[in-house]
């Protein structure tokens, strides 16, 4: 029975292929070998039985006695378990989980070891990917600046704090971590326990979402969109809350302004009762419904909104497709206008004057149709009565006398002014009562007179001109014109038609005159509100585009040029943030007046959003003329503006695009002027720049590089190269390396930092690149023999991220690198921008044990003051002084001054850019202690880096 069991166990072990299971003798030589061992390690039993098991370890492990220590531990404790790299017969490595059990005889004597090895390479790779994913996610969250993203524990205490949270709420991490999140609410909300209730909602439902006022450190309020998500582990246990807050104050203000403007439009439209005014969507369905529409057509809004507007047409017109045909005309021509029968809810018909306008958004995309319908049944019936009465009078001469009175009664009640003239003599034969009011003359003084005898020359010419047109061609002829009447300046809409007499030689001219002044004023108000900015009353983006199109068409025909200017106020956001939007609005109105006063009457100034303005300069002769206007605008804005006792100063940056240099479309002109504006701001603000074709090429190229760089970060195209730093006292000693980033582009090849770091800084990718450099440099430095330091450059923009210190701390912790072996290098610009905050960041880095170096020393204006503000470990002499010291006494004098000062302050000096033995000898003579440059070695990947130097002296 025991013998059979032994056989079964042996067969079982021999057949296992996922685990290497074999026996070792007490001295570590292999005693047997199963199929799993052969599969995992590549040796057949004949090749390995009798060999020492240490050959599965690396040479370094064997030299350090790692295999024997495993056996000793197993012999001492009974078992030894570990994970690490092991090696196959072909030299390839795999990550192994190893168990060694000591096997003892009946009397406790050691008779060997049982060894079980499993290949865990795939699991190890998966764990590494998960760690890398977590690191990328953490870096992404910490780099976000537009959203406050942070965690709360079960009780609502802040656990961490990202850059967006610091930017939105004003607290740095050390001020707020550990505090209760309720401090962002008002005192009233806290008394009502609103924060706790919000957490309870998130706990109960998984999420809480809201908008409302929140408060910053300085007490100022902002309108916030807030999400609180309950975070649970795999077992469903609550581990805390994730909180995302976004400052929506500006969007809220814009939304409020938009709603107010829309409300004014709505009240204006809804208040009109004589006209049916409503919108149709792209398919012709009714979107809204005003009081005039309800009055004219009998439908309530809830009965008609969503229905197709064809319900107002007859069945025959619907069958012929007239409604859709009318929409097609409006779409093709921009407008459809007609008169005809339309139908109410109760089936009754009315004669309607109809206008359908196609409505497009700012981008020119069709969004629907505006439809205006007016019931003119009464007017038409009066006109028809007049014509029928005329026909009747001519047909029945016996009743002329009675009919004349009847006609007089009809004409007297027509709601328009009626004037009938003899077609030949132009003598006025008939007028109604409304004409007396319009002309300010009684009927007795009008009848039997010619227009020039009883009216002003302006009115007489107007009516005679229309009469002439009516005589030349049949039909109804219309004209609308503003004229001086007895009631003042009025807009008259007149229709003239020929009435044939019973005798073919006798014809009459009938003029129907309507005073449409009030109607046109309402139309003008609606049109003005749709095309002008509500705050400044300047043209808005829609009208600006129309004026620009008109100028481009006119100037292309005349051979002149059109210029487009994009304007942006410098430092306006500071005014808004410090004094509030009301002061900011008043400042914008004042600026708009100054800008308008500096332009010609024919120029168009528009506000296109926020503190952005745009100008159309039509009919200019040259780019210089546009530049003179731009400079005049800059000077006009320069003097301070007094708003409620505050003297406010803002600058003006201007971009200029000329139609002669680019494709003449409004969109292209505005885009090019905006590129020139960006260039003006990049070059120092408060200035103007002309658009050049190179800007377009550069912008396109920068977009391509930015997109490629995003791809490069995710696909490991970036690599660190290391340039040696040597000690002047023992020049064969390399004391450290500077980490320099290189981009291996799959198409363009090697790209140097000067070509992509500026784009990374502008796009915000610098935070991810900087974090990658820190983590990678620390990781690779731990693999180097000796204690060489690694130097990593920090961008000034990385100091705007409050998580910089935690990123450095995480890079050291994850890699295990001693803090003293990491140096971070900054430039003087870090201390120029928010110097107090950046000094505090440097002090925090110093507390970690990291060394701080100041680069490009001697090139700034206040270099000495920097050394007083912070105790730097090293300073670098800028390489421009090194290259010039052979020819320039001033450069050598500066080098001597720096080295003398460094000895006094006990700061090490690094001379960078050393390229010759002469430079090296001279710099060592002058007292430089550390050296770097091509003379000693070029940057190389970690595995190829220079590890030792011969004495170059």
């Amino acid at each position: 029975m025991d013998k059979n069991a032994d056989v079964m166990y042996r067969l079982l072990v021999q057949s296992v292929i996922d685990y290497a299971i074999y026996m070792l003798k007490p001295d570590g030589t292999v005693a047997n070998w199963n199929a799993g061992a052969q599969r995992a390690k590549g040796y057949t039993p004949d090749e390995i039985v009798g060999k020492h098991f240490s050959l599965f370890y690396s040479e370094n492990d064997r030299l350090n006695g790692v295999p024997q220590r495993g056996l000793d531990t197993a012999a001492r404790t009974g078992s030894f378990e570990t994970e690490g790299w092991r090696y196959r017969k072909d030299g390839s490595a795999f990550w192994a989980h190893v168990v060694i059990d000591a096997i003892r005889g009946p009397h406790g004597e050691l008779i060997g070891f049982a060894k079980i090895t499993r290949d865990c390479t795939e699991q190890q790779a998966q764990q590494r990917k998960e760690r890398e994913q977590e690191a990328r996610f953490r870096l992404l969250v910490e780099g976000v600046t537009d959203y406050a993203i942070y965690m709360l524990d079960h009780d609502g205490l802040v656990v961490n704090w990202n850059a967006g949270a610091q930017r939105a709420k004003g607290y740095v991490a050390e001020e707020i971590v550990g505090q209760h999140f309720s401090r962002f609410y008002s005192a009233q909300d806290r008394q009502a326990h609103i924060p706790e209730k919000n957490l309870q909602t998130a706990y109960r439902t998984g999420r809480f979402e809201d908008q409302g006022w929140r408060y910053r450190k300085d007490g100022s309020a902002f309108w916030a969109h807030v999400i609180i998500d309950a975070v649970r582990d795999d077992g469903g246990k609550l581990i805390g809350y994730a909180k995302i807050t976004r400052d929506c104050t500006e969007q809220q203000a814009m939304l409020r302004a938009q709603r107010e403007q829309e409300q004014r439009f709505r009240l204006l439209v809804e208040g009109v009762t004589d006209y049916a005014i409503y919108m149709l969507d792209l398919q012709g369905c009714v979107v809204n419904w005003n009081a005039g529409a309800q009055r004219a057509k009998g439908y309530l809004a809830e009965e008609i909104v969503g229905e197709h507007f064809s319900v107002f047409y007859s069945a025959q017109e619907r069958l012929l497709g007239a409604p859709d045909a009318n929409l097609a005309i409006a779409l093709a021509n921009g407008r459809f206008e007609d008169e005809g029968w339309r139908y109410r809810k109760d089936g009754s018909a009315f004669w309607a004057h109809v206008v359908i306008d196609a409505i497009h958004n700012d981008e020119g995309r069709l969004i629907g149709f505006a439809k205006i319908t007016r019931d003119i049944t009464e007017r038409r019936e009066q006109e028809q009565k007049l014509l029928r009465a005329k026909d009747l009078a001519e047909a029945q001469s016996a009743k002329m006398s009675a009919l004349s009175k009847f006609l007089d009664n009809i004409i007297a009640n027509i709601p328009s002014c009626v004037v009938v003239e003899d077609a030949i003599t132009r003598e006025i034969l008939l007028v109604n009562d409304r004409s007396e009011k319009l002309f300010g003359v009684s009927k007795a003084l009008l009848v039997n007179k010619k227009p020039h005898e009883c009216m002003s020359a302006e009115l007489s010419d107007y009516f005679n001109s229309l009469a002439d047109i009516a005589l030349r061609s049949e039909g109804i002829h219309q004209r609308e014109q503003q004229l001086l009447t007895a009631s003042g300046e009025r807009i008259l809409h007149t229709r003239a038609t020929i009435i044939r007499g019973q005798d073919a030689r006798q014809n009459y001219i009938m003029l129907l005159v309507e005073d449409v002044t009030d109607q046109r004023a309402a139309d003008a108000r609606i049109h003005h509100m749709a095309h002008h900015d509500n705050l400044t009353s300047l043209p808005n983006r829609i009208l600006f585009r129309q004026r620009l199109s008109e100028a481009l068409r006119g100037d292309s025909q005349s051979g002149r040029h059109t210029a487009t200017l994009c304007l942006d106020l410098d430092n306006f956001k500071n005014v808004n943030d410090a004094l509030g939007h009301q002061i900011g609005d008043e400042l914008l109105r004042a600026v708009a007046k100054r800008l308008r006063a500096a332009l010609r009457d024919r120029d168009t100034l528009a506000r296109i959003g926020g503190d952005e303005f745009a100008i159309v300069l039509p009919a200019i002769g040259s780019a210089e003329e546009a530049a003179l206007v731009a400079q005049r605008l800059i000077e006009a804005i320069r003097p301070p503006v007094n708003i409620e006792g505050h003297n406010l100063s803002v600058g003006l940056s201007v971009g200029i695009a000329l139609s002669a240099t680019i494709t003449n479309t409004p969109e292209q002109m505005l885009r090019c002027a905006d590129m020139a504006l960006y260039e003006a701001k990049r070059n120092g603000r408060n200035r103007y720049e002309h658009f050049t074709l190179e800007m377009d090429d550069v912008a396109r190229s920068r977009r391509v590089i930015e997109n490629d760089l995003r791809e490069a970060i995710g696909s490991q195209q970036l690599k660190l190269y290391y340039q040696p730093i040597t000690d002047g006292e023992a020049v064969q000693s390399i004391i450290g390396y500077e980490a320099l980033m290189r981009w291996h582009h799959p198409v363009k090849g090697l790209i140097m930092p000067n070509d992509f770091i500026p784009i990374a800084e502008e796009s915000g990718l610098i935070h991810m690149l900087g974090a990658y450099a820190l983590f990678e440099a620390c990781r690779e430095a731990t693999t180097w023999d000796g204690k060489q330091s690694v130097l990593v450059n920090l961008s000034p923009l990385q100091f705007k991220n409050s998580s910089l210190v935690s990123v450095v701390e995480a890079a050291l912790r994850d890699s295990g690198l001693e803090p003293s072996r990491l140096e971070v290098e900054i430039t003087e610009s870090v201390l120029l921008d928010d110097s107090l905050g950046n000094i505090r960041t440097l002090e925090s880095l110093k507390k970690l044990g990291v060394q701080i170096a100041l680069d490009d020393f001697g090139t700034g204006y206040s270099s000495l003051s920097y050394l007083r503000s912070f105790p730097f470990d090293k300073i670098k002499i800028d390489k421009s002084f090194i290259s010039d010291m052979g020819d320039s006494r001033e450069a050598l004098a500066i080098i001597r001054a720096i080295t003398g000062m460094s000895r006094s302050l006990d700061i090490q000096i690094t001379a960078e850019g050393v390229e010759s033995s002469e430079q090296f000898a001279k710099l060592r003579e002058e007292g430089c202690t550390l050296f770097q440059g091509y003379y000693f070695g070029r940057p190389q990947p970690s595995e190829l880096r220079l590890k030792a130097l011969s004495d170059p002296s």
Side-chain angles (χ1 to χ4, degrees), residues 71 98 161 263 273 341 345 356 381 437 451 518 733 824 923:
L71 291 185
V98 177
W161 197 245
Q263 185 180 26
T273 57
W341 291 108
K345 176 184 175 181
I356 303 176
E381 287 177 353
K437 182 178 179 182
D518 295 339
S733 172
V824 294
L923 289 165

Short mmCIF file of all heavy atoms in Angstrom, two decimals, residues 71 98 161 263 273 341 345 356 381 437 451 518 733 824 923:
data_model
loop_
_atom_site.label_atom_id
_atom_site.label_comp_id
_atom_site.label_asym_id
_atom_site.label_seq_id
_atom_site.Cartn_x
_atom_site.Cartn_y
_atom_site.Cartn_z
N LEU A 71 18.88 28.15 1.29
CA LEU A 71 18.95 26.79 1.87
C LEU A 71 19.12 26.85 3.38
O LEU A 71 18.50 26.07 4.13
CB LEU A 71 20.12 26.02 1.24
CG LEU A 71 19.98 25.63 -0.25
CD1 LEU A 71 21.16 24.77 -0.67
CD2 LEU A 71 18.67 24.90 -0.51
N VAL A 98 9.11 31.09 -5.33
CA VAL A 98 9.94 29.93 -4.94
C VAL A 98 9.62 29.52 -3.50
O VAL A 98 9.53 30.37 -2.61
CB VAL A 98 11.45 30.28 -5.08
CG1 VAL A 98 12.31 29.09 -4.61
CG2 VAL A 98 11.78 30.67 -6.50
N TRP A 161 -5.52 67.04 -1.74
CA TRP A 161 -5.84 68.39 -2.25
C TRP A 161 -5.08 68.61 -3.56
O TRP A 161 -3.85 68.55 -3.57
CB TRP A 161 -5.39 69.40 -1.21
CG TRP A 161 -5.96 70.78 -1.32
CD1 TRP A 161 -5.30 71.93 -1.60
CD2 TRP A 161 -7.33 71.16 -1.11
NE1 TRP A 161 -6.15 73.00 -1.59
CE2 TRP A 161 -7.40 72.56 -1.28
CE3 TRP A 161 -8.48 70.46 -0.81
CZ2 TRP A 161 -8.59 73.27 -1.16
CZ3 TRP A 161 -9.66 71.17 -0.68
CH2 TRP A 161 -9.71 72.55 -0.84
N GLN A 263 -35.31 86.85 -21.86
CA GLN A 263 -36.58 87.22 -21.25
C GLN A 263 -37.11 88.51 -21.86
O GLN A 263 -38.31 88.64 -22.13
CB GLN A 263 -36.42 87.36 -19.74
CG GLN A 263 -37.73 87.64 -19.03
CD GLN A 263 -37.55 87.78 -17.53
OE1 GLN A 263 -36.47 88.13 -17.08
NE2 GLN A 263 -38.58 87.50 -16.76
N THR A 273 -49.73 91.79 -29.63
CA THR A 273 -51.03 91.13 -29.82
C THR A 273 -51.57 91.29 -31.23
O THR A 273 -52.50 90.58 -31.62
CB THR A 273 -52.07 91.70 -28.83
OG1 THR A 273 -52.17 93.13 -29.02
CG2 THR A 273 -51.66 91.41 -27.40
N TRP A 341 -55.00 83.10 -47.88
CA TRP A 341 -55.93 82.62 -46.86
C TRP A 341 -55.22 81.67 -45.90
O TRP A 341 -54.46 80.80 -46.31
CB TRP A 341 -57.11 81.88 -47.50
CG TRP A 341 -58.02 82.79 -48.27
CD1 TRP A 341 -58.16 82.87 -49.61
CD2 TRP A 341 -58.91 83.76 -47.72
NE1 TRP A 341 -59.07 83.83 -49.96
CE2 TRP A 341 -59.56 84.40 -48.80
CE3 TRP A 341 -59.21 84.16 -46.41
CZ2 TRP A 341 -60.49 85.41 -48.61
CZ3 TRP A 341 -60.14 85.16 -46.23
CH2 TRP A 341 -60.77 85.79 -47.32
N LYS A 345 -58.26 77.74 -35.57
CA LYS A 345 -58.62 76.49 -34.91
C LYS A 345 -60.07 76.09 -35.20
O LYS A 345 -60.37 74.90 -35.42
CB LYS A 345 -58.40 76.65 -33.40
CG LYS A 345 -58.84 75.45 -32.57
CD LYS A 345 -58.67 75.74 -31.09
CE LYS A 345 -59.22 74.58 -30.24
NZ LYS A 345 -59.08 74.87 -28.80
N ILE A 356 -41.77 84.60 -43.50
CA ILE A 356 -40.99 83.50 -42.89
C ILE A 356 -39.51 83.83 -43.11
O ILE A 356 -39.06 83.95 -44.25
CB ILE A 356 -41.31 82.13 -43.52
CG1 ILE A 356 -42.80 81.81 -43.42
CG2 ILE A 356 -40.49 81.03 -42.83
CD1 ILE A 356 -43.20 80.52 -44.10
N GLU A 381 -60.91 93.29 -47.11
CA GLU A 381 -62.35 93.40 -47.38
C GLU A 381 -62.72 94.82 -47.79
O GLU A 381 -63.55 95.03 -48.70
CB GLU A 381 -63.13 92.99 -46.13
CG GLU A 381 -63.12 91.49 -45.88
CD GLU A 381 -63.83 91.11 -44.60
OE1 GLU A 381 -64.22 92.04 -43.85
OE2 GLU A 381 -63.98 89.91 -44.34
N LYS A 437 -55.90 113.85 -41.35
CA LYS A 437 -54.99 113.79 -40.20
C LYS A 437 -53.54 113.69 -40.66
O LYS A 437 -52.64 114.32 -40.10
CB LYS A 437 -55.37 112.60 -39.32
CG LYS A 437 -54.51 112.47 -38.06
CD LYS A 437 -54.98 111.31 -37.22
CE LYS A 437 -54.10 111.17 -35.96
NZ LYS A 437 -54.49 110.00 -35.13
N PRO A 451 -51.31 117.43 -56.22
CA PRO A 451 -50.51 117.24 -55.01
C PRO A 451 -49.57 118.40 -54.70
O PRO A 451 -49.43 118.79 -53.53
CB PRO A 451 -49.73 115.95 -55.32
CG PRO A 451 -50.63 115.17 -56.23
CD PRO A 451 -51.31 116.22 -57.09
N ASP A 518 -44.63 103.20 -36.12
CA ASP A 518 -44.53 102.45 -34.86
C ASP A 518 -44.14 100.99 -35.12
O ASP A 518 -43.34 100.41 -34.37
CB ASP A 518 -45.86 102.51 -34.11
CG ASP A 518 -46.19 103.93 -33.66
OD1 ASP A 518 -45.25 104.75 -33.57
OD2 ASP A 518 -47.38 104.22 -33.43
N SER A 733 36.89 61.33 -11.33
CA SER A 733 35.69 60.97 -10.58
C SER A 733 34.48 61.67 -11.18
O SER A 733 34.45 62.89 -11.29
CB SER A 733 35.85 61.36 -9.11
OG SER A 733 34.64 61.19 -8.42
N VAL A 824 17.64 69.19 -7.77
CA VAL A 824 16.71 69.83 -8.69
C VAL A 824 17.28 71.19 -9.06
O VAL A 824 17.84 71.89 -8.21
CB VAL A 824 15.29 69.97 -8.08
CG1 VAL A 824 14.67 68.61 -7.89
CG2 VAL A 824 15.29 70.75 -6.79
N LEU A 923 39.34 77.62 -15.87
CA LEU A 923 38.26 77.63 -14.89
C LEU A 923 38.71 77.00 -13.57
O LEU A 923 38.34 77.46 -12.49
CB LEU A 923 37.04 76.87 -15.45
CG LEU A 923 36.30 77.59 -16.57
CD1 LEU A 923 35.36 76.65 -17.30
CD2 LEU A 923 35.51 78.78 -16.02
#
